[in-house]
């Protein structure tokens, strides 16, 4: 049982994180090998934009926007944050020159790990909700509607609510630190 | 979220903001500044202007362009050892944009746009390695571009670079760019058309030091382009006519390494021109006369691979010249005397295909020499007088040779009966009356129309002595 739990729930999380680190190292190595290290300086911009784009899901969930399939948006949120984090990690590189960007980077990685844990908890919540599936069926809902209802139930499940209490402040800290880094760059950039 | 947590977060973020403002050099500065600038580290705005960048005016405040390379920032004159360049050049730079070429923050070096493949980067790496400071690579990575120099001054290279005073550069302007590039001194492209005639033909005016000291160039004219081109020294077209008489007679003096060591050239003289032309080694006109006696007597020593192995040459000696000429193999004078006796008796062994197929030759032996000479086929030396002397009655061949028929005579056979008698019995009877018995062939005694000679012949033959006809005396055939 323990083996099964480790294999089904812990290994995928670890694999995703290790894959991200591997992709970062490879990207950085390729840039250096082909003499394009200077490109890394600008990869922070698309990385940040991807992360901002991934927030569409957060807006949909908090009902600031009403259109869009929440399930698809969540998948997009996961993918875009992963890609954005990859670009930002390559942008940061393996050099350590100053503190603020590194604080932002650490916040981003913690945020990413928190997101991965959230993904795992969501799976667990959905399993709990499976019992409700039968009652939806008896009420005569279609399969698409049942899936949608189950998703919202899982998202609003108590376990998820507890996790969100942690995830949101981490995101907020990351956003503030990243903004500080961006502002400092804009201040000292060679604009001419 | 609890209010207390929110408060903690906000306090922390405010603390970070305060630290960023107070300790910007730790929080946002991309690495340490270079050694001379470390005193500015705590105040970013000593160099930076908010939302603008670095103003070169701030650089020039300390690094006055006219003093760079001559004085330090405190106005002290630099001694020779402290100078990084032999000729300072910053005072002639365009309105500078220093950060384009100089980097202060160590962390920014990795983002410089000149990549590692850049030749200058290689030079920097090499220099850093030479100095034993590979970790200080950024100090060697300064990039200079001539584009920084004011256009009017850019063509006066001698402002910064030392003027070249050698023969080659003596008469040229100070704009080195006419021949050299900004990046490299060599290779240079010099357009000789820039030199006015007749000076253009006097190469030695500039290239005297480069003139090779070898024997080939010892007596060469000053106009190198008679053999060489303006663009390249090699390949050159050498005109042997330039050489004075002694050199022209001693090819080996220049071409020694190229002299072949084979048997043909072993005893060859130094005058290659006796056989070869000055333009090309091949084709050569080989003159056998220049070879010494032992070689000339032994053709096979050189020509072995082309010695024929046919019947004619089977027993031939090594002296090919006995039959062939030096110039031409086919124009030959074959000496039959060279052939051994048995072969000489068998002409058709060699001349098989040349034997005529007419009736005259059909039954002849292989000894063509009985009639023909070894020098010429015609005229043949066949002596009919040995058998019968022609006269006014016997002048046509077919008068006697009409056997087996008049139209197809066999010249081995003849008959006298067609004119002189018509039966052998009658002839024998008439001879018997004169006391002549045991007669065989008419031509044994009758070799002409003279009855007197025939009688003399009979008298001699009768006694068993072959008669020597007077017209055959001294003749072998």
């Amino acid at each position: 049982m323990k083996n099964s739990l480790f294999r089904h729930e812990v290994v995928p999380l670890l694999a995703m994180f290790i894959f991200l680190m591997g992709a970062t190292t490879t990207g950085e190595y390729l840039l250096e090998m082909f003499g394009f290290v200077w490109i890394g300086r600008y990869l922070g911009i698309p990385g940040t934009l991807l992360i901002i784009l991934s927030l569409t899901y957060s807006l949909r969930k908090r009902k600031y926007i009403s259109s869009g399939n929440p399930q698809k948006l969540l998948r997009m949120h996961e993918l875009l944050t992963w890609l954005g984090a990859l670009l930002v990690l390559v942008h940061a590189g393996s050099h350590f020159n100053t503190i603020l960007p590194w604080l932002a980077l650490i916040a981003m990685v913690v945020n990413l790990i928190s997101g991965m844990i959230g993904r795992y908890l969501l799976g667990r919540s959905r399993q709990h909700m499976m019992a409700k599936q039968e009652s939806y069926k008896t009420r005569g809902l279609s399969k698409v509607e049942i899936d949608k209802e189950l998703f919202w139930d899982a998202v609003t499940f108590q376990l998820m609510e507890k996790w969100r209490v942690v995830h949101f402040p981490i995101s907020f800290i990351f956003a503030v630190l990243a903004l500080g880094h961006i502002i400092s760059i804009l201040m000292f950039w060679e604009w001419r | 979220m609890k209010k207390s947590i929110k408060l903690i977060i906000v306090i922390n973020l405010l603390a970070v903001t305060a630290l960023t403002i107070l300790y910007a050099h730790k929080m946002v500065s991309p690495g340490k500044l270079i050694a001379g600038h470390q005193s500015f580290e705590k105040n970013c705005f000593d160099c930076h202007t908010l939302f603008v960048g670095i103003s070169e005016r701030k650089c020039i405040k300390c690094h006055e362009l006219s003093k760079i390379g001559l004085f330090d920032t405190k106005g002290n004159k630099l001694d020779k050892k402290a100078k990084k360049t032999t000729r300072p050049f910053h005072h002639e730079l365009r309105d500078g944009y220093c950060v384009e070429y100089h980097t202060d923050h160590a962390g920014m070096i990795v983002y410089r746009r000149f990549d590692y493949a850049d030749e200058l980067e290689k030079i920097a790496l090499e220099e850093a390695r030479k100095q034993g400071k590979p970790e200080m690579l950024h100090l060697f990575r300064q990039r200079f571009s001539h584009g920084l120099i004011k256009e009017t001054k850019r063509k006066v290279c001698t402002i910064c670079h030392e003027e070249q005073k050698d023969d080659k550069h003596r008469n040229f302007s100070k704009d080195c760019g006419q021949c050299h590039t900004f990046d490299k001194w060599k290779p240079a492209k010099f357009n000789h058309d820039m030199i006015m005639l007749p000076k253009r033909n006097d190469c030695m005016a500039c290239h005297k030091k480069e003139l090779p000291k070898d024997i080939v160039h010892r007596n060469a004219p000053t106009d190198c382009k008679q053999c060489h081109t303006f663009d390249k020294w090699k390949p050159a077209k050498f005109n042997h006519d330039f050489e004075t008489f002694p050199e022209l007679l001693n090819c080996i003096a220049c071409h020694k390494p190229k002299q072949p060591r084979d048997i043909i050239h072993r005893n060859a003289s130094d005058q290659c021109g006796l056989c070869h032309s000055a333009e090309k080694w091949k084709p050569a006109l080989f003159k056998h006369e220049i070879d010494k006696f032992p070689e000339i007597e032994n053709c096979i020593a050189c020509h072995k691979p082309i010695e024929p192995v046919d019947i004619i040459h089977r027993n031939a000696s090594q002296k090919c010249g006995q039959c062939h000429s030096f110039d031409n193999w086919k124009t030959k004078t074959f000496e039959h005397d060279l052939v051994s006796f048995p072969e000489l008796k068998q002409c058709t062994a060699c001349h098989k295909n040349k034997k005529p197929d007419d009736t005259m030759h059909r039954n002849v032996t292989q000894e063509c020499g009985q009639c023909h000479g070894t020098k010429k086929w015609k005229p043949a030396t066949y002596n009919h007088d040995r058998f019968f002397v022609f006269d006014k009655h016997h002048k046509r061949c077919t008068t006697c040779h009409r056997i087996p028929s008049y139209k197809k005579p066999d010249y081995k056979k003849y008959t006298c009966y067609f004119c002189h008698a018509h039966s052998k019995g009658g002839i024998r009877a008439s001879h018997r009356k004169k006391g002549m018995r045991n007669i065989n062939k008419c031509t044994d005694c009758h070799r002409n129309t003279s009855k007197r000679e025939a009688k003399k012949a009979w008298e001699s033959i009768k006694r068993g002595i072959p008669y020597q006809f007077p017209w055959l005396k001294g003749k072998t055939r």
Side-chain angles (χ1 to χ4, degrees):
Chain A
M1 183 65 188
K2 274 186 180 175
N3 267 344
S4 172
L5 183 74
F6 182 79
R7 197 171 65 243
H8 291 295
E9 295 177 353
V10 181
V11 169
L13 278 179
L14 273 174
M16 194 181 257
F17 190 72
I18 290 166
F19 182 48
L20 177 67
M21 292 302 144
T24 305
T25 315
T26 311
E28 212 177 331
Y29 175 74
L30 289 175
L31 285 180
E32 194 166 335
M33 192 168 75
F34 294 109
F36 292 121
V37 177
W38 61 271
I39 291 177
R41 192 181 188 186
Y42 301 94
L43 285 182
I45 299 166
T48 309
L49 290 176
L50 286 176
I51 291 168
I52 291 170
L53 195 65
S54 78
L55 294 178
T56 319
Y57 167 72
S58 311
L59 297 174
R60 173 78 176 89
K61 195 169 73 63
R62 286 171 179 78
K63 297 192 172 49
Y64 289 107
I65 52 172
S66 53
S67 62
N69 183 340
Q71 263 178 303
K72 280 184 183 171
L73 284 175
L74 178 59
R75 243 177 263 141
M76 206 176 80
H77 175 75
E78 290 165 3
L79 179 71
L80 292 180
T81 45
W82 191 89
L83 279 174
L86 172 66
L87 293 179
V88 171
L89 283 167
V90 176
H91 162 70
S94 54
H95 45 267
F96 187 94
N97 292 312
T98 187
I99 297 169
L100 185 64
W102 272 88
L103 288 177
L105 189 80
I106 292 163
M108 187 194 76
V109 174
V110 172
N111 202 2
L112 200 71
I113 293 167
S114 162
M116 287 173 181
I117 292 168
R119 192 168 180 263
Y120 154 73
L121 292 176
L122 183 65
R124 294 290 297 265
S125 302
R126 290 196 74 176
Q127 279 177 358
H128 279 284
M129 291 296 113
M130 290 303 271
K132 273 197 169 183
Q133 195 175 3
E134 285 305 313
S135 67
Y136 287 132
K137 273 185 185 173
T138 52
R139 276 161 52 190
L141 291 177
S142 68
K143 196 176 180 299
V144 178
E145 284 172 322
I146 291 170
D147 278 349
K148 207 172 177 180
E149 285 301 320
L150 277 177
F151 177 77
W152 281 126
D153 288 344
V155 168
T156 53
F157 190 64
Q158 198 183 1
L159 190 65
M160 289 304 294
E161 284 301 328
K162 283 181 182 169
W163 166 78
R164 204 164 288 119
V165 170
V166 181
H167 188 64
F168 181 78
I170 294 170
S171 305
F172 179 72
I173 292 167
F174 164 54
V176 172
L177 292 172
L179 194 65
H181 170 58
I182 291 165
I183 290 170
S184 70
I185 293 298
L186 296 178
M187 281 166 69
F188 294 106
W189 189 260
E190 283 297 318
W191 287 104
R192 293 174 308 162
Chain B
M1 200 193 308
K2 287 179 183 176
K3 277 191 177 177
S4 58
I5 295 174
K6 281 183 184 172
L7 195 65
I8 290 167
I9 290 170
V10 171
I11 289 169
N12 273 292
L13 288 175
L14 285 173
V16 170
T17 311
L19 285 171
T20 305
I21 293 164
L22 292 172
Y23 298 98
H25 64 287
K26 296 271 184 198
M27 297 298 281
V28 295
S29 164
K32 284 190 170 180
L33 291 173
I34 57 167
H37 288 176
Q38 276 169 2
S39 59
F40 306 126
E41 263 187 356
K42 289 184 181 173
N43 190 0
C44 307
F45 302 110
D46 278 350
C47 299
H48 293 271
T49 308
L50 267 183
F51 299 109
V52 174
I54 297 168
S55 163
E56 67 276 1
R57 270 180 289 169
K58 288 184 178 177
C59 305
I60 292 166
K61 205 184 281 178
C62 299
H63 302 281
E64 208 175 318
L65 289 179
S66 60
K67 290 183 177 175
I68 296 174
L70 296 171
F71 300 90
D72 63 14
T73 51
K74 289 166 190 166
N76 301 319
K77 199 169 183 183
L78 291 172
D79 57 23
K80 277 186 183 176
K81 283 180 187 173
K83 281 183 185 175
K84 283 183 182 173
T85 54
T86 51
R87 299 287 295 259
F89 57 86
H90 284 77
H91 61 291
E92 289 298 342
L93 294 181
R94 276 193 300 136
D95 295 337
Y97 189 33
C98 314
V99 286
E100 202 174 324
Y101 299 94
H102 299 278
T103 306
D104 261 7
H105 290 286
M108 297 303 292
I109 288 161
V110 291
Y111 295 130
R112 290 298 296 267
R113 287 293 283 271
F114 50 93
D115 56 34
Y116 290 96
D118 195 299
E119 191 63 27
L120 287 167
E121 183 69 4
K122 283 181 195 166
I123 293 166
L125 278 167
E126 204 172 295
E127 193 59 30
R129 216 172 287 135
K130 261 187 205 171
Q131 303 275 341
K133 295 174 182 171
E135 74 284 356
M136 302 291 275
L137 178 64
H138 64 282
L139 293 178
F140 300 96
R141 226 186 244 146
Q142 307 304 319
R143 189 174 190 175
F144 172 74
S145 165
H146 284 78
L148 283 172
I149 302 169
K150 288 172 192 167
E151 272 182 39
T152 49
K153 301 286 181 187
R154 208 182 296 160
K155 290 188 174 180
V156 192
C157 307
T158 49
I159 291 172
C160 300
H161 298 279
E162 259 182 66
E163 194 174 344
Q164 300 291 309
K165 288 177 182 169
D166 56 18
D167 291 343
K168 258 186 273 181
H169 296 90
R170 203 173 42 210
N171 297 314
F172 291 98
S173 74
K174 290 170 181 177
D175 179 12
C176 309
Q178 285 180 321
C179 303
H180 303 272
T181 63
F182 282 137
D183 297 330
K184 284 181 180 177
W185 183 250
K186 280 183 179 181
K189 276 186 182 176
F190 179 66
N191 186 359
H192 285 78
D193 293 338
M194 290 194 297
I195 310 170
M196 298 292 282
L197 282 170
K199 208 164 186 183
R200 199 190 304 162
N201 291 338
D202 183 16
C203 307
M204 289 306 108
C206 300
H207 296 286
K208 196 169 184 177
K209 282 181 187 170
E210 291 163 51
L211 178 72
K213 308 274 182 215
D214 56 17
I215 194 165
V216 181
H217 295 89
R218 201 171 51 195
N219 296 308
T222 54
D223 182 8
C224 305
K225 74 175 187 303
Q226 288 191 24
C227 298
H228 304 274
T229 62
F230 279 142
D231 300 329
K232 284 182 180 178
W233 183 252
K234 282 184 179 180
K237 279 184 182 176
F238 182 65
N239 185 352
H240 284 76
D241 297 341
F242 296 145
E243 288 298 314
T244 54
F245 189 68
E247 273 78 15
L248 211 53
L249 286 185
N250 186 6
C251 308
I252 303 304
C254 300
H255 297 285
K256 197 162 188 178
K258 291 181 183 175
Q259 185 191 16
R261 306 216 175 273
D262 55 17
I263 193 164
I264 299 172
H265 296 89
R266 199 172 51 196
N267 295 310
S269 78
D270 291 344
Q271 290 169 258
C272 306
L274 289 170
C275 300
H276 302 275
S277 71
E279 283 77 27
K280 283 183 180 180
W281 183 253
K282 282 183 180 180
L285 289 171
F286 182 64
K287 289 179 184 168
H288 288 75
E289 293 82 355
I290 61 170
D291 236 329
K292 289 182 183 172
F293 187 69
E295 274 77 15
I296 208 85
E297 286 291 292
N298 185 6
C299 307
I300 302 305
C302 299
H303 296 284
K304 197 162 189 180
I306 54 169
E307 183 194 11
V309 287
D310 55 18
I311 193 165
I312 300 171
H313 296 89
R314 199 171 49 199
N315 296 311
S317 76
Q318 294 180 336
K319 298 179 202 175
C320 307
Q322 286 175 325
C323 301
H324 302 276
S325 72
F326 285 139
D327 302 327
N328 203 329
W329 177 256
K330 292 234 163 170
T331 311
K332 54 187 182 280
T333 51
F334 181 64
E335 284 297 330
H336 284 76
D337 296 342
L338 296 170
V339 182
S340 61
F341 187 75
E343 268 85 11
L344 209 55
K345 290 279 178 185
Q346 299 170 24
C347 305
T348 50
C350 298
H351 298 285
K352 203 169 187 177
N353 294 333
K354 290 184 179 175
K355 182 185 168 189
D357 193 28
D358 55 22
T359 48
M360 187 185 281
H361 295 88
R362 194 169 297 149
N363 296 311
V364 296
T365 65
Q366 292 184 334
E367 289 180 67
C368 306
Q370 285 180 341
C371 303
H372 300 277
T374 54
K375 301 262 190 290
K376 287 180 180 177
W377 182 254
K378 281 184 180 178
T381 56
Y382 178 70
N383 187 3
H384 198 272
D385 291 353
R386 288 172 60 204
F387 306 100
F388 199 86
V389 179
F390 291 113
D391 56 29
K392 63 180 179 180
H393 302 294
H394 304 88
K395 59 183 178 185
R396 289 173 62 188
C397 303
T398 48
T399 303
C400 304
H401 298 289
R402 51 173 64 209
I403 299 170
S405 73
Y406 178 78
K407 286 189 175 176
K408 286 186 177 178
D410 180 353
Y411 292 101
K412 285 261 178 184
K413 293 174 182 174
Y414 69 95
T415 181
C416 304
Y417 297 124
F418 192 79
C419 301
H420 296 284
H422 298 292
S423 70
K424 283 185 181 178
I427 290 294
R428 286 181 189 279
S430 64
H431 279 79
R432 210 162 31 237
K433 281 179 187 173
K434 294 171 186 170
M436 297 173 187
R437 297 172 190 276
N438 297 328
I439 56 169
N440 192 9
K441 288 195 298 183
C442 305
T443 54
D444 283 349
C445 301
H446 299 281
R447 298 283 179 98
N448 62 2
T449 49
S450 168
K451 286 186 177 179
R452 196 164 147 257
E453 282 297 323
K455 198 174 179 180
K456 279 183 181 177
W458 163 251
E459 292 294 335
S460 182
I461 292 165
K462 194 172 68 175
R463 288 197 299 272
I465 302 163
Y467 181 65
Q468 186 68 44
F469 291 96
W471 59 88
L472 293 176
K473 278 180 183 172
K475 293 189 178 177
T476 54
R477 56 187 183 183

